[in-house]
Amino acid sequence: MDIKDLQRENIKTLRPYSTARDEFKGQASVFLDANENSFGSPLPANYNRYPDPLQLDLKEAISKIKGVPIENTFLGNGSDEAIDLLFRAFCNPGKDNVIILPPTYGMYEVSANINDVEVRKVNLLPNFQLDLEKIAETIDANTKIIFICSPNNPTGNSLNRTDIETILANFKGLVVIDEAYINFAKQKTFIQELTEYVNLVVLQTFSKAWGLAALRLGMAFSSRPVIDILNKVKPPYNINQATQDLALAALENIQQVNEWIKITVAERERLSAELAKIPMVKKVYPSDANFILAEIANAVDVYNKLVDHGVIVRDRSKVTLCEGCLRITIGTASENDQLIDLLRAMN
Ligand code: PMP
């Protein structure tokens, strides 16, 4: 499979934006090329200068943790930017299609709609696993991407590894595995499989376990040709300097992050068990993520009552296969206790 052939037609011949520093980076001491403020910045850091477009220092640090070479790493303004760029780089508007697997993360469809790319939906099976047969029937010559979210948002479960491998082995377009919640899962990441499959893209993010949602930093790991194409279409300075600096500092704090992951998983199990004891909670789905999907009698009323008490959860009660469900993010122990107390009082 030649990844270059998968590109959107106009991207195949696109000449990307270039800067004088692409060639002279690090070799000059006087920078009069980019119309910056030469006098400085009102802030202590060198924010008067444009940031490194390829974020090499940050990628180096990420590479040490993930074990993925920097040339197989793309950084986006959130993984949402990587999702959008995949459409812009690979999908011809009005011609190509992508497959999504509802119930799943909403941005795949929104990004497809923004890019005028057809969305084909193959619902998960009632056990929230992949319907391989229907997926195979739905693929055609214009199917460019299949989006697989594992652990899946909003259901919380991981998808069977062998099912995902079947798709990877057979599908000729890109297989995007969104691992936003992988740090909370028992399931292993797919980044080890990158050398095996040229069409695999693994998305991860700093917004969940890393506690940096406000910085907007997402990762896409893939083969060299895919990464090169994403770099070709991305806005030149898509990761700002503050984000690069702060993320580098955060990577020194991995122990703290690992501690929070352990606490989150422990709280998830405690909250699941407590919810299951409340009579109006009809079902608590097992979760591999930092949230729980629960089916609750009169879910919308419960949602509104929680709002009245200043507690916001996510109403997923109208979502296919999640009818009557609320999605609850794992909070601190005291936040979870507040939620449990409120739900018990409503019974
Ligand atoms: N993928 C999934 C499955 C998500 O749930 C989210 C955020 N809710 C994202 C991606 C987006 O993450 P980011 O903040 O990195 O854009």
Side-chain angles (χ1 to χ4, degrees):
M1 176 190 324
D2 192 344
I3 293 294
K4 290 200 182 108
D5 295 339
L6 287 178
Q7 287 177 97
R8 191 190 273 197
E9 281 312 316
N10 62 312
I11 302 301
K12 287 181 181 167
T13 51
L14 176 78
R15 282 179 49 201
Y17 181 76
S18 65
T19 76
R21 285 171 214 181
D22 295 344
E23 285 150 53
F24 295 110
K25 194 173 183 297
Q27 292 167 23
S29 56
V30 180
F31 290 99
L32 304 178
D33 60 309
N35 306 342
E36 297 150 336
N37 181 337
S38 300
F39 301 92
S41 133
L43 297 170
N46 275 345
Y47 289 150
N48 55 321
R49 298 296 176 190
Y50 283 103
D52 174 6
L54 291 174
Q55 314 98 20
L56 294 179
D57 292 344
L58 180 52
K59 282 182 185 161
E60 199 75 63
I62 291 171
S63 175
K64 288 210 177 91
I65 289 178
K66 301 286 175 188
V68 179
I70 60 172
E71 51 295 353
N72 297 102
T73 305
F74 174 85
L75 298 181
N77 192 331
S79 35
D80 284 344
E81 187 184 38
I83 293 167
D84 178 61
L85 289 175
L86 286 164
F87 281 100
R88 293 216 247 165
F90 292 101
C91 299
N92 289 292
K95 176 179 172 225
D96 290 335
N97 66 76
V98 300
I99 296 179
I100 69 167
L101 312 164
T104 194
Y105 180 47
M107 275 309 286
Y108 315 136
E109 183 168 9
V110 173
S111 266
N113 290 340
I114 291 169
N115 286 283
D116 190 21
V117 170
E118 184 198 344
V119 175
R120 297 189 173 180
K121 298 182 184 181
V122 179
N123 285 350
L124 295 177
L125 296 166
N127 65 358
F128 297 151
Q129 291 297 330
L130 297 176
D131 188 340
L132 287 182
E133 234 171 87
K134 280 231 179 76
I135 292 170
E137 283 166 16
T138 306
I139 294 169
D140 70 12
N142 293 326
T143 306
K144 287 291 183 72
I145 309 178
I146 301 180
F147 286 94
I148 300 173
C149 188
S150 182
N152 187 43
N153 176 9
T155 57
N157 60 297
S158 291
L159 300 176
N160 287 337
R161 201 174 182 88
T162 46
D163 288 353
I164 298 177
E165 281 165 356
T166 301
I167 294 177
L168 274 167
N170 293 294
F171 179 53
K172 303 284 177 263
L174 297 182
V175 178
V176 176
I177 306 182
D178 186 341
E179 295 188 338
Y181 301 99
I182 193 70
N183 306 73
F184 307 103
K186 287 179 280 297
Q187 172 125 336
K188 273 195 332 208
T189 170
F190 268 85
I191 58 179
Q192 270 88 29
E193 317 298 325
L194 287 169
T195 46
E196 187 88 15
Y197 304 102
V198 71
N199 59 337
L200 168 62
V201 181
V202 178
L203 300 180
Q204 294 188 0
T205 179
F206 281 86
S207 300
K208 310 295 174 187
W210 278 92
L212 295 171
L215 293 194
R216 308 308 300 130
L217 186 62
M219 297 158 270
F221 302 106
S222 191
S223 62
R224 186 74 191 263
V226 171
I227 298 297
D228 288 350
I229 293 164
L230 290 177
N231 281 330
K232 195 166 77 168
V233 297
K234 81 181 182 68
Y237 307 107
N238 62 327
I239 310 297
N240 71 69
Q241 188 64 49
T243 293
Q244 294 190 40
D245 292 343
L246 291 168
L248 261 176
L251 286 162
E252 305 279 319
N253 271 331
I254 191 162
Q255 272 126 324
Q256 171 68 80
V257 172
N258 285 335
E259 189 59 28
W260 280 329
I261 292 168
K262 266 196 224 148
I263 297 170
T264 303
V265 169
E267 277 297 306
R268 178 183 77 201
E269 300 314 310
R270 183 178 77 90
L271 182 58
S272 298
E274 290 303 324
L275 288 174
K277 289 184 210 156
I278 300 173
M280 72 177 173
V281 177
K282 295 197 210 156
K283 178 150 192 177
V284 180
Y285 289 93
S287 171
D288 240 3
N290 67 341
F291 57 83
I292 297 168
L293 187 74
E295 188 185 346
I296 298 178
N298 305 315
V300 179
D301 288 350
V302 171
Y303 172 83
N304 287 326
K305 283 188 193 149
L306 288 173
V307 172
D308 290 343
H309 286 89
V311 175
I312 320 281
V313 297
R314 192 87 153 107
D315 176 8
R316 301 281 79 184
S317 61
K318 311 273 182 305
V319 171
T320 323
L321 292 177
C322 300
E323 287 82 6
C325 287
L326 301 180
R327 192 196 70 191
I328 302 163
T329 303
I330 309 305
T332 62
S334 92
E335 289 170 338
N336 299 333
D337 285 341
Q338 282 181 56
L339 175 80
I340 293 162
D341 288 347
L342 284 170
L343 291 177
R344 278 194 192 128
M346 282 180 212
N347 252 286

